[in-house]
Amino acid sequence: MFSSNVDSLIESKRLPSEQDTLHFLRRIRNCAVKSLWYELITYPKPGLVSLVDSGSHQDMDASTFYSSIVSLRHYFFHIASLGLEGANFELLRSSGLAAESRMLDATGGVNTHRGAIFNLGMLAAAAAYRYMYSDTCRSLGEITVQTWGKELALHHRKAGSHGDRVASMYHVGGAIEEALSGYPSVYQLGLPVYRNILAQTSSHELACIQTFFTLLANVQDTNLLHRGGWDGLKKAQDLSEAFLDIGGIYANDWDMRALSVHQKLIELNLSPGGSADLLSACLFIHNIEADE
């Protein structure tokens, strides 16, 4: 199953055994799948699909997301295996494109997780690479940049995609630029908030909600730009910032305030899918690092 490079590392005892390595690859897969599931069930999550409603979307619901998540489970194991071997970015990209095709087949052509396929795919590969080389001194973001950054910088967005049009029209980055920067929105914004709220409240649900609003208030979400332009992005950010300014999940009526933001984004037909992808990335990194 593994390359000769991996076999030689196992033989030299840099890895405990092939069985342990397979166990860790499965753990990466499971963490990725769980992060997508927990992102889906987070509610209120302004403008986005959850188990409660479909947010600003008419072409998808929770069952669509569930089918998509199930279709991606083998992908996360496969791309982690590629990361374990230090495969080049082109192989990672091919794995991601195959996963995207399976996702579209599972959802009837609806794009539910294209951004997550890229973000979680790169992080899954980085997690396996770090395991292979016992490289716990570097974050998964740093490993992504230092291992695949040069190839990634030459990668072009899919022509005609939402990300491609938004980048050309508004001169902003997106998922690729986030990865090339080592995932600063995750490490500097989302993950500290998630871990802080989790430590203070012991509530994963509250931690997810506060993290999502933090990301929404600060990230130049290309999905928002695609749907609402600069005005739409600013409106969503202002609403989220106002929620945080009054205390976020610590306010007495936080749930009603969060639901109000959700309803407003639905009225405006805004969907911050980029922020949702980053929430998934936060959850993945937190869980994969839990036992390290």
Side-chain angles (χ1 to χ4, degrees), residues 4 12 25 39 55 76 79 119 127 135 149 154-155 194 202 244 247:
S4 58
S12 68
L25 291 175
E39 181 274 314
F76 293 121
I79 199 166
N119 281 321
D135 190 8
L154 299 175
H155 174 64
Y194 176 81
S202 298
L244 295 170

Side-chain angles (χ1 to χ4, degrees), residues 13 30 105 184 212:
K13 298 183 180 180
N30 293 343
D105 286 343
F212 181 80

Side-chain angles (χ1 to χ4, degrees), residues 79-179:
I79 199 166
S81 300
L82 292 174
L84 191 79
E85 299 175 0
N88 61 44
F89 176 72
E90 188 56 37
L91 289 175
L92 302 185
R93 178 175 177 273
S94 295
S95 181
L97 289 174
E100 183 178 315
S101 179
R102 288 193 296 273
M103 172 196 72
L104 294 174
D105 286 343
T107 62
V110 177
N111 169 26
T112 47
H113 287 116
R114 184 173 287 143
I117 287 172
F118 174 76
N119 281 321
L120 290 184
M122 294 304 302
L123 291 171
Y129 185 94
R130 181 165 71 177
Y131 173 81
M132 168 64 73
Y133 294 101
S134 300
D135 190 8
T136 55
C137 293
R138 292 189 296 169
S139 71
L140 298 187
E142 290 170 332
I143 290 172
T144 298
V145 174
Q146 293 169 20
T147 308
W148 297 288
K150 289 182 180 179
E151 295 174 279
L152 189 55
L154 299 175
H155 174 64
H156 297 287
R157 294 179 182 84
K158 188 174 182 179
S161 68
H162 292 169
D164 178 58
R165 290 194 293 269
V166 168
S168 298
M169 184 176 299
Y170 298 103
H171 305 289
V172 297
I176 294 176
E177 284 69 20
E178 179 74 18

